[in-house]
Amino acid sequence: MNEDILKGKWQEIKGRIKEKCGKLTDNYIGEIEGKGERLLGLLQKKYGYIRDKAELEYRDSVELAEI
């Protein structure tokens, strides 16, 4: 298994935990950060992207959604 895929899975798990903690404590910033980390982890796991490339893909998609 590719190391980037394993790192992506771990990133996804951390994002889910951060998202759940944000919901429990009504910390909306933490919840949003958790969702972002979860998405980065999914990209990294699914495509085997390194973290830097996954972040670029994430930022590009967020910028397009804002337009």
Coordinates of all heavy atoms in Angstrom, one line a residue:
M1 N 0.8 -1.2 0.0 CA 0.0 0.0 0.0 C 0.9 1.2 0.0 O 1.9 1.3 0.7 CB -0.9 0.0 1.2 CG -2.1 0.9 1.1 SD -3.1 0.8 2.6 CE -4.6 0.2 1.8
N2 N 0.5 2.2 -0.8 CA 1.2 3.5 -0.9 C 1.2 4.2 0.5 O 0.2 4.3 1.1 CB 0.6 4.3 -2.0 CG 1.4 5.5 -2.4 OD1 2.3 5.9 -1.6 ND2 1.1 6.1 -3.5
E3 N 2.4 4.8 0.8 CA 2.5 5.5 2.1 C 1.5 6.8 2.1 O 0.9 7.1 3.1 CB 3.9 6.0 2.3 CG 4.1 6.7 3.6 CD 5.6 7.1 3.8 OE1 6.5 6.5 3.2 OE2 5.8 8.1 4.5
D4 N 1.4 7.4 0.9 CA 0.5 8.6 0.8 C -1.0 8.2 1.1 O -1.8 8.9 1.6 CB 0.6 9.2 -0.5 CG 1.9 9.9 -0.7 OD1 2.5 10.4 0.3 OD2 2.4 10.0 -1.8
I5 N -1.4 7.0 0.6 CA -2.7 6.5 0.9 C -3.0 6.3 2.4 O -4.0 6.7 2.9 CB -3.0 5.2 0.1 CG1 -3.0 5.5 -1.4 CG2 -4.3 4.6 0.5 CD1 -3.0 4.3 -2.3
L6 N -2.0 5.7 3.0 CA -2.1 5.5 4.5 C -2.2 6.9 5.2 O -3.0 7.0 6.1 CB -0.9 4.7 5.0 CG -0.9 3.2 4.7 CD1 0.4 2.6 5.1 CD2 -2.1 2.5 5.3
K7 N -1.3 7.8 4.8 CA -1.4 9.1 5.4 C -2.7 9.8 5.2 O -3.2 10.5 6.0 CB -0.2 10.0 4.9 CG 1.1 9.6 5.4 CD 2.2 10.5 4.8 CE 3.6 10.1 5.3 NZ 4.6 11.0 4.7
G8 N -3.2 9.6 4.0 CA -4.6 10.1 3.7 C -5.7 9.6 4.5 O -6.5 10.3 5.0
K9 N -5.6 8.3 4.8 CA -6.6 7.7 5.7 C -6.5 8.2 7.1 O -7.5 8.5 7.7 CB -6.4 6.1 5.7 CG -7.4 5.4 6.5 CD -8.8 5.6 5.9 CE -9.8 4.7 6.7 NZ -11.2 5.0 6.3
W10 N -5.3 8.4 7.6 CA -5.1 9.0 8.9 C -5.6 10.4 8.9 O -6.2 10.8 9.9 CB -3.6 8.9 9.3 CG -3.3 9.5 10.6 CD1 -2.6 10.6 10.8 CD2 -3.9 9.2 11.9 NE1 -2.6 10.9 12.2 CE2 -3.4 10.1 12.8 CE3 -4.7 8.2 12.3 CZ2 -3.7 10.0 14.2 CZ3 -5.1 8.1 13.6 CH2 -4.5 9.0 14.6
Q11 N -5.3 11.2 7.9 CA -5.8 12.6 7.8 C -7.3 12.6 7.8 O -7.9 13.4 8.5 CB -5.3 13.2 6.5 CG -5.6 14.7 6.4 CD -4.7 15.5 7.3 OE1 -3.7 15.1 7.7 NE2 -5.2 16.7 7.6
E12 N -7.9 11.7 7.1 CA -9.4 11.6 7.1 C -9.9 11.3 8.5 O -10.9 11.9 8.9 CB -9.8 10.5 6.1 CG -11.3 10.3 6.0 CD -11.7 9.1 5.2 OE1 -10.9 8.5 4.6 OE2 -12.9 8.9 5.2
I13 N -9.3 10.4 9.2 CA -9.8 10.0 10.5 C -9.6 11.2 11.5 O -10.5 11.5 12.3 CB -9.0 8.8 11.1 CG1 -9.4 7.6 10.3 CG2 -9.2 8.6 12.6 CD1 -8.5 6.4 10.5
K14 N -8.5 11.9 11.4 CA -8.3 13.1 12.2 C -9.3 14.2 11.9 O -9.8 14.8 12.8 CB -6.9 13.7 12.0 CG -5.8 12.9 12.7 CD -4.4 13.6 12.7 CE -4.1 14.5 11.5 NZ -2.8 15.0 11.5
G15 N -9.6 14.3 10.7 CA -10.7 15.3 10.3 C -12.0 15.0 10.8 O -12.8 15.8 11.3
R16 N -12.4 13.7 10.8 CA -13.7 13.3 11.3 C -13.7 13.5 12.8 O -14.8 13.9 13.4 CB -13.9 11.8 11.1 CG -14.3 11.5 9.7 CD -14.5 10.0 9.5 NE -14.7 9.7 8.1 CZ -15.5 8.8 7.6 NH1 -16.2 8.0 8.5 NH2 -15.7 8.6 6.3
I17 N -12.6 13.2 13.5 CA -12.6 13.5 15.0 C -12.7 14.9 15.3 O -13.5 15.4 16.1 CB -11.3 12.9 15.6 CG1 -11.4 11.4 15.5 CG2 -11.1 13.4 17.0 CD1 -10.0 10.7 15.9
K18 N -12.0 15.8 14.5 CA -12.1 17.2 14.8 C -13.5 17.7 14.4 O -14.0 18.6 15.2 CB -11.0 17.9 13.9 CG -10.8 19.4 14.2 CD -9.8 20.0 13.3 CE -8.5 20.2 14.0 NZ -7.5 20.9 13.3
E19 N -14.1 17.2 13.4 CA -15.4 17.6 13.0 C -16.4 17.3 14.1 O -17.3 18.1 14.5 CB -15.8 16.9 11.7 CG -17.2 17.3 11.2 CD -17.5 16.6 9.9 OE1 -16.6 15.9 9.3 OE2 -18.7 16.6 9.5
K20 N -16.3 16.0 14.6 CA -17.3 15.6 15.7 C -17.1 16.4 17.0 O -18.0 16.8 17.6 CB -17.0 14.1 16.0 CG -17.4 13.2 14.9 CD -18.9 13.1 14.7 CE -19.2 12.1 13.6 NZ -20.5 12.1 13.2
C21 N -15.8 16.7 17.3 CA -15.5 17.5 18.5 C -16.1 18.9 18.4 O -16.6 19.5 19.3 CB -14.0 17.6 18.8 SG -13.4 16.0 19.4
G22 N -16.0 19.5 17.2 CA -16.5 20.8 16.9 C -18.0 20.8 17.0 O -18.6 21.8 17.6
K23 N -18.7 19.7 16.6 CA -20.1 19.7 16.7 C -20.5 19.6 18.2 O -21.5 20.2 18.6 CB -20.7 18.5 16.0 CG -20.8 18.7 14.5 CD -21.4 17.5 13.8 CE -21.5 17.7 12.3 NZ -22.1 16.5 11.6
L24 N -19.8 18.8 19.0 CA -20.2 18.5 20.4 C -20.0 19.8 21.2 O -20.7 20.1 22.1 CB -19.3 17.4 21.0 CG -19.6 16.0 20.5 CD1 -18.6 15.0 21.0 CD2 -21.0 15.6 21.0
T25 N -19.0 20.6 20.9 CA -18.7 21.8 21.7 C -19.2 23.1 21.0 O -18.9 24.2 21.5 CB -17.1 21.9 21.8 OG1 -16.5 22.1 20.6 CG2 -16.6 20.7 22.6
D26 N -20.0 22.9 20.0 CA -20.5 24.1 19.2 C -19.4 25.0 18.8 O -19.5 26.2 18.7 CB -21.5 24.9 20.1 CG -22.8 24.2 20.2 OD1 -23.2 23.4 19.3 OD2 -23.5 24.4 21.2
N27 N -18.2 24.4 18.4 CA -17.1 25.1 17.9 C -17.2 25.0 16.3 O -16.7 24.1 15.8 CB -15.8 24.6 18.4 CG -14.6 25.3 17.9 OD1 -14.7 26.2 17.1 ND2 -13.4 24.9 18.4
Y28 N -17.8 26.0 15.7 CA -18.0 25.9 14.3 C -16.7 26.0 13.5 O -16.6 25.3 12.4 CB -19.0 27.0 13.8 CG -20.3 26.9 14.5 CD1 -20.7 27.9 15.4 CD2 -21.2 25.9 14.2 CE1 -21.9 27.8 16.0 CE2 -22.4 25.8 14.9 CZ -22.8 26.7 15.8 OH -24.0 26.6 16.4
I29 N -15.8 26.7 14.0 CA -14.5 26.8 13.3 C -13.8 25.4 13.3 O -13.3 25.0 12.3 CB -13.5 27.8 14.0 CG1 -14.2 29.2 14.0 CG2 -12.2 27.9 13.3 CD1 -14.0 30.1 12.9
G30 N -13.8 24.8 14.4 CA -13.2 23.4 14.5 C -13.9 22.4 13.6 O -13.3 21.6 13.0
E31 N -15.2 22.6 13.5 CA -16.0 21.7 12.7 C -15.7 21.9 11.2 O -15.5 20.9 10.5 CB -17.5 22.0 12.9 CG -18.4 21.0 12.2 CD -19.9 21.3 12.5 OE1 -20.2 22.0 13.4 OE2 -20.7 20.8 11.7
I32 N -15.6 23.1 10.8 CA -15.2 23.4 9.4 C -13.8 22.9 9.1 O -13.5 22.4 8.0 CB -15.4 24.9 9.1 CG1 -16.8 25.3 9.2 CG2 -14.8 25.3 7.8 CD1 -17.1 26.8 9.2
E33 N -12.9 23.2 10.0 CA -11.5 22.7 9.8 C -11.5 21.2 9.7 O -10.7 20.6 8.9 CB -10.6 23.1 11.0 CG -10.2 24.6 11.0 CD -9.4 25.0 12.2 OE1 -9.2 24.2 13.1 OE2 -9.0 26.2 12.2
G34 N -12.3 20.5 10.5 CA -12.4 19.1 10.5 C -12.9 18.6 9.1 O -12.3 17.6 8.6
K35 N -13.8 19.3 8.6 CA -14.4 18.9 7.2 C -13.3 19.1 6.2 O -13.2 18.3 5.3 CB -15.6 19.7 6.9 CG -16.8 19.3 7.7 CD -18.1 20.0 7.3 CE -19.2 19.6 8.2 NZ -20.5 20.2 7.8
G36 N -12.5 20.2 6.3 CA -11.5 20.4 5.3 C -10.4 19.3 5.4 O -9.9 18.8 4.4
E37 N -10.0 19.0 6.6 CA -9.0 17.9 6.8 C -9.5 16.6 6.3 O -8.7 15.8 5.7 CB -8.6 17.8 8.3 CG -7.6 18.9 8.7 CD -7.1 18.6 10.2 OE1 -7.0 17.4 10.5 OE2 -6.9 19.6 10.9
R38 N -10.8 16.4 6.5 CA -11.4 15.1 6.1 C -11.3 15.0 4.5 O -11.0 14.0 4.0 CB -12.8 15.0 6.6 CG -13.5 13.7 6.3 CD -14.8 13.7 6.9 NE -15.6 12.6 6.4 CZ -16.9 12.6 6.5 NH1 -17.6 13.5 7.1 NH2 -17.6 11.6 6.0
L39 N -11.6 16.1 3.9 CA -11.6 16.1 2.4 C -10.2 16.0 1.9 O -10.0 15.2 0.9 CB -12.2 17.5 1.9 CG -12.2 17.6 0.4 CD1 -13.0 16.5 -0.3 CD2 -12.8 19.0 0.0
L40 N -9.2 16.6 2.5 CA -7.8 16.5 2.1 C -7.4 15.0 2.3 O -6.7 14.5 1.4 CB -6.9 17.4 3.0 CG -6.9 18.8 2.6 CD1 -6.1 19.6 3.7 CD2 -6.4 19.1 1.2
G41 N -7.8 14.4 3.4 CA -7.5 13.0 3.6 C -8.1 12.1 2.5 O -7.5 11.1 2.1
L42 N -9.4 12.4 2.2 CA -10.0 11.6 1.1 C -9.3 11.7 -0.2 O -9.1 10.7 -0.9 CB -11.5 12.0 1.0 CG -12.4 11.5 2.1 CD1 -13.8 12.2 1.9 CD2 -12.6 10.0 2.0
L43 N -8.9 12.9 -0.6 CA -8.1 13.1 -1.8 C -6.8 12.4 -1.8 O -6.4 11.7 -2.7 CB -7.9 14.6 -2.0 CG -9.0 15.5 -2.5 CD1 -8.6 17.0 -2.5 CD2 -9.4 15.1 -3.9
Q44 N -6.1 12.5 -0.6 CA -4.8 11.8 -0.5 C -5.0 10.3 -0.6 O -4.2 9.6 -1.2 CB -4.2 12.3 0.8 CG -2.7 12.0 0.9 CD -2.2 12.7 2.2 OE1 -2.9 13.2 3.0 NE2 -0.9 12.6 2.3
K45 N -6.0 9.8 0.1 CA -6.2 8.4 0.1 C -6.7 7.8 -1.3 O -6.1 6.9 -1.8 CB -7.3 8.0 1.2 CG -7.5 6.5 1.3 CD -8.6 6.2 2.3 CE -10.0 6.5 1.7 NZ -11.1 6.0 2.5
K46 N -7.6 8.5 -1.9 CA -8.2 8.1 -3.1 C -7.2 8.1 -4.3 O -7.1 7.2 -5.0 CB -9.4 8.9 -3.4 CG -10.1 8.7 -4.7 CD -11.3 7.8 -4.6 CE -12.0 7.7 -5.9 NZ -12.7 6.4 -6.0
Y47 N -6.5 9.2 -4.4 CA -5.6 9.3 -5.5 C -4.2 9.1 -5.2 O -3.3 9.3 -6.1 CB -5.8 10.7 -6.2 CG -7.3 10.9 -6.6 CD1 -8.1 11.7 -6.0 CD2 -7.7 10.2 -7.7 CE1 -9.4 11.9 -6.4 CE2 -9.0 10.3 -8.2 CZ -9.9 11.2 -7.5 OH -11.2 11.3 -7.9
G48 N -3.8 8.9 -4.0 CA -2.4 8.7 -3.6 C -1.6 10.0 -3.7 O -0.4 10.0 -3.9
Y49 N -2.3 11.2 -3.6 CA -1.7 12.4 -3.7 C -0.8 12.7 -2.5 O -1.1 12.2 -1.4 CB -2.7 13.6 -3.7 CG -3.5 13.8 -5.0 CD1 -4.6 14.6 -5.0 CD2 -3.2 13.1 -6.1 CE1 -5.3 14.8 -6.1 CE2 -4.0 13.3 -7.3 CZ -5.0 14.2 -7.3 OH -5.8 14.4 -8.4
I50 N 0.3 13.4 -2.7 CA 1.0 13.9 -1.6 C 0.2 15.0 -1.0 O -0.6 15.6 -1.6 CB 2.4 14.3 -1.9 CG1 2.4 15.4 -3.0 CG2 3.3 13.1 -2.4 CD1 3.8 15.9 -3.3
R51 N 0.5 15.3 0.3 CA -0.4 16.3 0.9 C -0.4 17.7 0.2 O -1.4 18.3 0.1 CB 0.1 16.5 2.4 CG -0.7 17.5 3.1 CD -0.3 17.5 4.6 NE -1.0 18.6 5.3 CZ -2.2 18.6 5.8 NH1 -2.9 17.5 5.6 NH2 -2.7 19.6 6.4
D52 N 0.8 18.1 -0.3 CA 0.8 19.4 -1.0 C -0.1 19.4 -2.2 O -0.8 20.4 -2.4 CB 2.3 19.7 -1.4 CG 3.2 19.9 -0.2 OD1 2.7 20.2 0.9 OD2 4.4 19.8 -0.4
K53 N -0.1 18.4 -3.0 CA -0.9 18.3 -4.2 C -2.4 18.3 -3.8 O -3.2 18.9 -4.4 CB -0.5 17.2 -5.1 CG -1.3 17.2 -6.4 CD -0.8 16.1 -7.3 CE -1.6 16.2 -8.6 NZ -1.2 15.2 -9.6
A54 N -2.7 17.5 -2.7 CA -4.1 17.4 -2.3 C -4.6 18.8 -1.8 O -5.7 19.2 -2.1 CB -4.2 16.4 -1.1
E55 N -3.7 19.5 -1.1 CA -4.1 20.9 -0.7 C -4.4 21.8 -1.9 O -5.4 22.6 -1.8 CB -3.1 21.5 0.2 CG -3.1 20.9 1.6 CD -2.1 21.6 2.5 OE1 -1.8 22.8 2.4 OE2 -1.6 20.9 3.4
L56 N -3.6 21.7 -2.9 CA -3.8 22.5 -4.1 C -5.1 22.2 -4.8 O -5.9 23.1 -5.2 CB -2.7 22.3 -5.1 CG -1.4 23.0 -4.8 CD1 -0.3 22.6 -5.8 CD2 -1.5 24.5 -4.7
E57 N -5.4 20.9 -4.9 CA -6.7 20.5 -5.5 C -7.9 21.0 -4.6 O -8.9 21.4 -5.2 CB -6.8 18.9 -5.6 CG -5.8 18.3 -6.6 CD -6.3 18.5 -8.0 OE1 -7.5 18.6 -8.2 OE2 -5.5 18.6 -8.9
Y58 N -7.7 20.9 -3.3 CA -8.8 21.4 -2.4 C -9.0 22.9 -2.6 O -10.1 23.3 -2.7 CB -8.4 21.0 -1.0 CG -9.3 21.6 0.1 CD1 -10.6 21.2 0.2 CD2 -8.8 22.6 0.9 CE1 -11.4 21.7 1.2 CE2 -9.7 23.2 1.9 CZ -11.0 22.7 2.0 OH -11.8 23.3 2.9
R59 N -7.9 23.6 -2.6 CA -8.1 25.1 -2.7 C -8.7 25.5 -4.0 O -9.5 26.4 -4.1 CB -6.7 25.7 -2.5 CG -6.2 25.7 -1.1 CD -5.0 26.6 -0.9 NE -4.5 26.4 0.5 CZ -3.2 26.2 0.8 NH1 -2.3 26.1 -0.2 NH2 -2.9 26.0 2.0
D60 N -8.3 24.8 -5.1 CA -8.8 25.1 -6.4 C -10.3 24.8 -6.4 O -11.1 25.6 -7.0 CB -8.1 24.3 -7.5 CG -6.7 24.7 -7.8 OD1 -6.4 25.9 -7.4 OD2 -6.0 24.0 -8.4
S61 N -10.7 23.7 -5.9 CA -12.2 23.4 -5.9 C -13.0 24.4 -5.0 O -14.1 24.8 -5.3 CB -12.4 22.0 -5.4 OG -12.0 21.8 -4.1
V62 N -12.4 24.8 -3.9 CA -13.1 25.8 -3.0 C -13.2 27.1 -3.7 O -14.2 27.8 -3.6 CB -12.3 25.9 -1.6 CG1 -12.8 27.1 -0.8 CG2 -12.5 24.6 -0.8
E63 N -12.1 27.6 -4.4 CA -12.2 28.8 -5.1 C -13.2 28.8 -6.2 O -13.9 29.8 -6.4 CB -10.8 29.2 -5.6 CG -9.8 29.6 -4.6 CD -8.4 29.8 -5.1 OE1 -8.2 29.7 -6.3 OE2 -7.5 30.0 -4.3
L64 N -13.3 27.7 -6.9 CA -14.3 27.6 -8.0 C -15.7 27.6 -7.4 O -16.6 28.2 -8.0 CB -14.1 26.3 -8.8 CG -12.9 26.3 -9.7 CD1 -12.7 24.9 -10.4 CD2 -13.1 27.3 -10.8
A65 N -15.9 27.0 -6.2 CA -17.2 27.0 -5.6 C -17.6 28.4 -5.2 O -18.8 28.7 -5.2 CB -17.2 26.0 -4.4
E66 N -16.6 29.2 -4.8 CA -17.0 30.6 -4.3 C -17.3 31.5 -5.5 O -18.1 32.4 -5.3 CB -15.7 31.2 -3.6 CG -15.5 30.5 -2.2 CD -14.3 31.1 -1.5 OE1 -13.5 31.8 -2.1 OE2 -14.1 30.7 -0.4
I67 N -16.9 31.2 -6.7 CA -17.2 32.0 -7.8 C -18.5 31.7 -8.3 O -19.5 31.7 -8.2 CB -16.2 31.7 -9.0 CG1 -14.8 32.1 -8.6 CG2 -16.6 32.4 -10.2 CD1 -13.7 31.8 -9.6

